[in-house]
Amino acid sequence: MAPPLVALLVFADPSTAPAGSSMPPRRHVVKISGMAFQPAVLQVAPGDTVVWINQDIVPHTASAAGSDGWDTGILVQGDSSRYVPRRSGDTPYICRLHPTMRGGLTVTGRPR
Amino acid sequence: MPAVTTAYPSSPEAPMSQSTIRHLLAVLLTFATSTGLHAQAPAPDLSDPEVAHVAVTANGIDVELARFAQTRAHNDAVRQFAATMITDHTAVNAQAAALAARLGVTPTDNAVSQSLLAGATEARAALEPLHGSVFDRAYMDREVAYHQAVLDALDGLLIPTTSNPDLRTLLVDVRPAIAAHLEHARQIRRSLGSER
């Protein structure tokens, strides 16, 4: 019996798409809420867009550690900032104002 | 209602001893019959306007001490911490003021707020003669103890006794920030070592 269509949609993995196929860029949202990045670790493809949205009362940043150097700047409640990674790699990041807040961005796969 | 007593040390050599922390917690928790920890104590009788006043006072105290710390701190991480305290506690108080205005509530002074203010005055006096790395350690000791006490007060007094759902939500929303401040303060304090 053929699996239900909905199951095919949920479990279709873009990384298994045939070579030469062109996947449109995706938009990923990281909520900053309760003094945490949600999700704390995010995996995206080069060319995808990552959007951080601060829902906390206090200001935050999402700031790359290491040589990548990307930084959202200070986001007050309701602010958002986006970043489009172009190179593969793992980048840990923090909130510069609250260094106990940590996140990770993994860029992997075929560019979109 | 129990007598209001000082909650902070007067000696620069002991900016926030364990006994002082316990004392501050005792002052706060004595009001919290809902915790069951002091069943023999008089009822706390903290109204929502009084809870709002305690919250605004607690934020304001940390802003004022952070402003002082910015003029005195030696270590970059300590100065940055103080800047964050100003930013964060100011933001929280702005939300509290907006909420009070929306609800038509005027925060009302009370014994807990007075105790906090008396303690803040003593804390400032204890830090006043200190400079350099000695000041940094004493200030961070105080911030660790203060945020722990505020966290305990949120859990043991303020959140349980607040009846207004919007005010309670604000307090619940603030709690993670206080917990993060506490952890951040502990990390900085550890990095400063134990020498005086």
Side-chain angles (χ1 to χ4, degrees):
Chain A
M1 190 172 102
L5 179 59
V6 65
L8 288 173
L9 291 173
V10 168
F11 293 108
D13 181 354
S15 66
T16 62
S21 69
S22 178
M23 301 291 292
R26 292 181 56 191
R27 180 177 182 270
H28 307 265
V29 174
V30 179
K31 289 194 305 180
I32 309 176
S33 178
M35 305 299 282
F37 299 107
Q38 302 176 16
V41 178
L42 180 66
Q43 181 171 313
V44 305
D48 282 354
T49 297
V50 184
V51 181
W52 285 269
I53 301 175
N54 182 16
Q55 299 179 340
D56 270 345
I57 295 171
V58 301
H60 291 297
T61 76
S63 308
S67 59
D68 265 15
W70 51 265
D71 193 315
T72 62
I74 292 176
L75 306 174
V76 300
Q77 187 176 35
D79 277 358
S80 64
S81 179
R82 67 192 187 97
Y83 170 61
V84 180
R86 300 293 181 188
R87 290 181 298 177
S88 296
D90 294 330
T91 305
Y93 67 90
I94 62 169
C95 169
R96 281 188 284 111
L97 304 177
H98 310 98
T100 57
M101 294 172 56
R102 296 178 177 276
L105 180 63
T106 296
V107 183
T108 185
R110 295 171 56 85
R112 302 197 200 264
Chain B
M1 189 165 282
V4 175
T5 54
T6 57
Y8 296 94
S10 56
S11 165
E13 283 69 43
M16 186 59 75
S17 67
Q18 287 300 311
S19 63
T20 302
I21 297 167
R22 285 195 297 272
H23 183 71
L24 173 57
L25 296 180
V27 168
L28 292 168
L29 289 174
T30 298
F31 290 84
T33 55
S34 61
T35 66
L37 295 175
H38 293 271
Q40 76 282 13
D45 199 25
L46 272 189
S47 65
D48 284 355
E50 288 174 330
V51 168
H53 197 279
V54 170
V56 169
T57 300
N59 280 294
I61 284 171
D62 213 46
V63 169
E64 287 307 311
L65 198 62
R67 288 193 174 123
F68 173 61
Q70 283 196 309
T71 69
R72 188 66 65 89
H74 175 73
N75 179 280
D76 285 344
V78 175
R79 279 202 298 271
Q80 178 57 54
F81 181 86
T84 298
M85 292 308 100
I86 293 169
T87 301
D88 285 5
H89 290 290
T90 299
V92 172
N93 265 359
Q95 290 258 341
L99 175 61
R102 183 158 57 84
L103 298 176
V105 168
T106 301
T108 306
D109 197 5
N110 59 86
V112 176
S113 293
Q114 291 167 16
S115 175
L116 289 171
L117 286 169
T121 300
E122 292 205 12
R124 170 64 182 263
L127 290 168
E128 189 73 47
L130 306 182
H131 295 271
S133 58
V134 175
F135 174 88
D136 290 346
R137 284 190 284 269
Y139 171 63
M140 294 314 302
D141 278 341
R142 190 268 182 188
E143 287 299 285
V144 168
Y146 188 71
H147 282 88
Q148 182 65 68
V150 170
L151 199 58
D152 290 341
L154 280 168
D155 292 340
L157 172 65
L158 301 176
I159 292 173
T161 58
T162 300
S163 58
N164 182 279
D166 291 329
L167 179 56
R168 178 190 288 261
T169 296
L170 176 63
L171 296 173
V172 169
D173 287 348
V174 166
R175 191 191 184 283
I178 301 301
H181 291 169
L182 173 61
E183 183 54 31
H184 189 188
R186 283 176 172 154
Q187 286 183 3
I188 294 173
R189 181 60 188 88
R190 280 195 297 270
S191 74
L192 297 176
S194 58
E195 291 180 15
R196 287 203 164 272

